[in-house]
Amino acid sequence: MTAERARKKSDIAWLGGVHVPAAWRRTKVKHLVSEMRAGDAITAERIEDAGSVPVYGGNGVRGFTEVPTHDGVHVLIGRQGALCGNVHLARGAFWASEHAIVSTPARGVDARWLAHLLRTMDLGQYSVTAAQPGIGVAQIAALDAYLPPLEEQGAIADYLDEQTSRIDTLIGKQNQLIDTLHERRAAVIRVAIDAASTASTPDKLARRTRVGNGSTPRREQAAFWFGGDLPWLNSAVVNSASVTGSDQYVTERARLECHLPIVRPGAVLVGLTGQGRTRGMATILEIEATVSQHVAYVQPEAAHWDSRYLLWALRSRYDDLRLMSDENGSTKGGLTCYDLANLRVARPPLHEQQAIAADLDEQTSRIDALVSKAKEHIVLAKERRAALITAAVTGQLDVRAVGRAATSGA
């Protein structure tokens, strides 16, 4: 049996009073590095999608260039942006931009151990600027930490490299599963809607019609007065499965002066602008609200369209809507109500629309449940990863004893 090693109570605030190994020496981050400074500015034109030298920004690799600013093993810390304080271990030749702090480990400090230590310290909490979060060299350098002997640093780094690699592999498999499920979901929607317009009888083919037949896609002007009681929806809401509430509101005066209509429940909302998946994405409105100029709304006529069927039909044409947006010449989104009104989708009889929508609701719900379960596994794995790193770099877990136990057990 391995003897319990001597410990002492930590008096460093971020460690929360835990007991650390007595042999570990208290120090400051500035003594763990021989140099710590921000990187060098680089223009977007010099960053390529591929190349021999990775360019690190505040949140990791941004792209590639040809000439490095550094070579060797360094610890990089994001110094600006929402993710400031994130930590990356860079090896070999790389360019560090002005949004990254480059830390060169001092003699007697294992770079891998240092990276794990800085991740555990949650450096983002020391951000001092509200408008543009940021953290400086002086703030990080002044922080306290405990330094194990070099041999133990290496043992900690070896153990964490092995364990986190296993966890990262599991996370990667879950992400692959999520991608596969998303592809399956899109295929299920596409097949169901395509089947509505491909039948053996010519009359059914004729049911493929413009979205503007039986509905009127519209967009409105911006509202300039916030507050009040009427929910006001911007383009981000289209990324939700449905809209059941809002965190922004307009007054009745704003609605009248900006000629904003009241959009009724059952309307289908489509994003006209925005980054990510927002442009061309559709959702259904389950509350009474008004919308910004970045969202088109389709208020289906009950005699022609089932709202949920129209929602699924528009989602099945997401790629087409994105292509229309790109062809309109705007990198931020050029989708128009004219595009939307002239988009042709299958419009079978109302009872068939309702049956298709109900079937898609059921099938996608099952797939969404699997996606949620996979995301839960990822969250748990990341929590375990973080806890393992914290336990090792603060000495709560003696990795050398774990190694000896594993060897004796074998």
Side-chain angles (χ1 to χ4, degrees), residues 56-62 74-89 99-103 114-127 133-135 140:
Y56 283 88
N59 299 326
V61 176
R62 292 177 51 192
H74 298 76
V75 179
L76 306 184
I77 305 167
R79 60 182 288 264
Q80 283 186 336
L83 298 179
C84 71
N86 70 94
V87 177
H88 297 273
L89 185 65
H99 299 300
I101 295 173
V102 184
S103 304
L114 178 60
H116 286 306
L117 171 70
L118 293 174
R119 291 188 186 107
T120 299
M121 294 173 70
D122 185 20
L123 299 177
Q125 67 180 301
Y126 304 106
S127 171
I135 186 171
I140 300 172

Side-chain angles (χ1 to χ4, degrees), residues 52-54 56 70-76 88-95 110-113 115-116 157-158 161:
S52 58
V53 178
Y56 283 88
H70 296 78
D71 199 352
V73 182
H74 298 76
V75 179
L76 306 184
H88 297 273
L89 185 65
R91 302 174 185 271
F94 63 92
W95 183 293
D110 186 297
R112 298 171 301 153
W113 170 84
H116 286 306
D158 290 342
D161 285 349

Side-chain angles (χ1 to χ4, degrees), residues 186-376:
V188 164
I189 297 170
R190 185 172 58 253
V191 168
I193 299 301
D194 286 349
S197 61
T198 55
S200 58
T201 55
D203 61 319
K204 194 164 187 177
L205 288 173
R207 295 173 189 162
R208 193 174 180 89
T209 188
R210 297 168 58 251
V211 170
N213 289 346
S215 64
T216 306
R218 295 181 60 185
R219 66 183 293 179
E220 302 304 330
Q221 296 303 311
F224 299 101
W225 299 271
F226 293 93
D229 301 316
L230 182 64
W232 180 85
L233 308 174
N234 212 334
S235 58
V237 300
V238 299
N239 294 319
S240 304
S242 63
V243 181
T244 58
S246 175
D247 57 1
Q248 298 184 77
Y249 296 83
V250 294
T251 63
E252 180 65 8
R253 177 189 172 194
R255 188 182 77 80
L256 294 174
E257 293 197 19
C258 294
H259 307 289
L260 299 178
I262 293 179
V263 185
R264 301 186 304 276
V268 178
L269 309 181
V270 181
L272 298 177
T273 64
Q275 301 295 332
R277 288 178 55 83
T278 302
R279 283 179 289 139
M281 182 60 75
T283 189
I284 194 164
L285 185 63
E286 297 186 7
I287 58 173
E288 192 173 82
T290 191
V291 297
S292 80
Q293 74 272 28
H294 303 296
V295 181
Y297 63 95
V298 183
Q299 199 87 61
E301 295 180 14
H304 298 279
W305 295 103
D306 174 77
S307 291
R308 291 207 63 80
Y309 171 81
L310 182 57
L311 170 67
W312 290 120
L314 289 174
R315 286 184 177 176
S316 75
R317 304 297 301 279
Y318 172 75
D319 290 338
D320 297 317
L321 290 170
R322 293 286 290 199
L323 182 60
M324 290 178 187
S325 172
D326 294 338
E327 289 176 344
N328 285 341
S330 172
T331 57
K332 294 185 178 180
L335 192 63
T336 67
C337 287
Y338 177 82
D339 296 326
L340 191 57
N342 285 286
L343 183 73
R344 290 186 175 274
V345 297
R347 192 179 74 183
L350 203 55
H351 70 278
E352 289 187 27
Q353 293 183 36
Q354 293 166 345
I356 292 170
D359 182 58
L360 285 174
D361 285 346
E362 182 180 351
Q363 290 195 64
T364 57
S365 177
R366 289 198 297 266
I367 296 173
D368 290 344
L370 294 175
V371 170
S372 294
K373 184 62 67 175
K375 288 181 177 179
E376 288 176 10

